Amino acid sequence: MTGFKTLLMAGATILLAPLYAAGDAQSPPAGAWEYLRPQFYGDRSIGVVDERFMSIEAPSNTPDPAATPLTLRFGPEAAGKIRQVRLIIDNNPSPLAATMDLKSGVPLTEIDLRVRIDRFTSVRAIAETNDGRLEMRSTWINASGGCSAPPGAAEGGTLGDIRFRPSTDGKALQISIRHPNNSGFQIDPRTGDPIPPHYISHISMSFAGQTIMEAQTGISLSENPTLRVATSEPLSGPLRIEATDSMTNAHYSATWNGASNTTAKAAPDSGH
């Protein structure tokens, strides 16, 4: 939890900076990116214009700030040639939403997530290719209160259950993890007490025994996190998902064996 608390404090400092006072302007302030860019990328050049290489899509006015759909698309020149993607939500309390390390050669054409948006912000995806090239795409999202929205009313189900939903053409697979993914900024509507942060901190995806994605995640992912990946070729099992709980360090896992395997029960292990 120490790393999360440090990031949370950094995010809070950013949000309280004088720059934040410009929030009523037509465009939101630069927010976290001004501080995270030199930390992660130094003074390296970052491309920002080639939409055919990579693009980012999200609703400009989200109907649900606690579960805003976000889509990253990779063109033919990018698929299989990207080793890392960072997702930064500038004005969220914890702006680094996810860091996804990808295996070279896996022809991913799309990654979909649902994220929390706390206020009017820029959302950025920064991709690093296998040869060290950097590309960034960004989009504006107008929202309010996504990180403090109360938990969903739905009850039932087992913490860490993992479900799979393949596309009809077999080229995409959605993974859903039952988990509150509490942000630490929510209030229990029944007691009025703050709800401590409790989230999925890591997601690993492996195929045929080889890890194809490692994602460090946090409170900016929505309740019951979902991750959808699409490729240029039909997917086939077995594909294994493992997720780590931030509070207990429990590991949840499930294996998708093909298009007929649409649900699976998570198997918590010892956390080691």
Side-chain angles (χ1 to χ4, degrees):
M1 291 294 291
T2 301
F4 171 77
K5 290 180 179 177
T6 300
L7 183 58
L8 202 59
M9 292 175 64
T13 301
I14 291 166
L15 292 183
L16 292 173
L19 189 64
Y20 185 67
D24 292 334
Q26 288 187 339
S27 295
W33 178 238
E34 180 178 332
Y35 301 88
L36 294 180
R37 188 198 195 287
Q39 176 183 336
F40 291 136
Y41 304 110
D43 58 358
R44 295 165 63 189
S45 175
I46 302 179
V48 295
V49 297
D50 189 356
E51 292 288 324
R52 295 171 299 177
F53 185 84
M54 181 178 76
S55 65
I56 183 171
E57 294 180 10
S60 58
N61 289 280
T62 176
D64 185 355
T68 300
L70 184 71
T71 300
L72 298 175
R73 290 194 173 91
F74 307 105
E77 292 186 11
K81 300 175 183 177
I82 292 178
R83 67 187 179 197
Q84 185 183 84
V85 180
R86 279 194 176 98
L87 179 64
I88 295 174
I89 305 175
D90 279 8
N91 292 324
N92 269 13
S94 183
L96 181 57
T99 300
M100 296 172 280
D101 294 316
L102 310 177
K103 180 176 173 57
S104 176
V106 178
L108 286 181
T109 58
E110 190 174 305
I111 298 175
D112 299 83
L113 301 163
R114 290 187 179 272
V115 298
R116 291 185 167 109
I117 303 293
D118 202 52
R119 65 183 300 271
F120 189 25
T121 188
S122 178
V123 178
R124 307 169 191 270
I126 305 95
E128 183 170 1
T129 62
N130 295 332
D131 60 5
R133 171 184 172 186
L134 294 174
E135 291 285 340
M136 180 176 75
R137 303 294 176 268
S138 62
T139 187
W140 302 114
I141 301 180
N142 191 10
S144 178
C147 292
S148 57
E155 299 286 348
T158 302
L159 184 70
D161 272 358
I162 298 174
R163 294 177 177 266
F164 301 97
R165 180 178 295 176
S167 63
T168 55
D169 65 3
K171 294 183 179 182
L173 181 66
Q174 178 176 296
I175 300 102
S176 301
I177 306 169
R178 181 174 288 276
H179 199 281
N181 230 61
N182 297 130
S183 67
F185 294 89
Q186 299 160 290
I187 299 297
D188 189 326
R190 296 168 295 184
T191 66
D193 296 328
I195 301 172
H198 181 201
Y199 55 95
I200 293 295
S201 61
H202 181 264
I203 300 172
S204 174
M205 182 184 301
S206 58
F207 178 76
Q210 291 193 348
T211 300
I212 61 174
M213 176 188 288
E214 295 270 7
Q216 302 294 331
T217 56
I219 66 168
S220 287
L221 293 193
S222 68
E223 180 178 352
N224 298 323
T226 64
L227 172 67
R228 181 180 178 274
V229 295
T231 68
S232 58
E233 303 171 359
L235 294 162
S236 60
L239 187 145
R240 183 173 176 81
I241 295 292
E242 296 185 1
T244 305
D245 187 293
S246 70
M247 183 178 290
T248 65
N249 204 36
H251 290 188
Y252 311 115
S253 61
T255 300
W256 180 72
N257 291 311
S260 62
N261 179 202
T262 57
T263 64
K265 291 291 184 181
D269 63 23
S270 62
H272 300 291

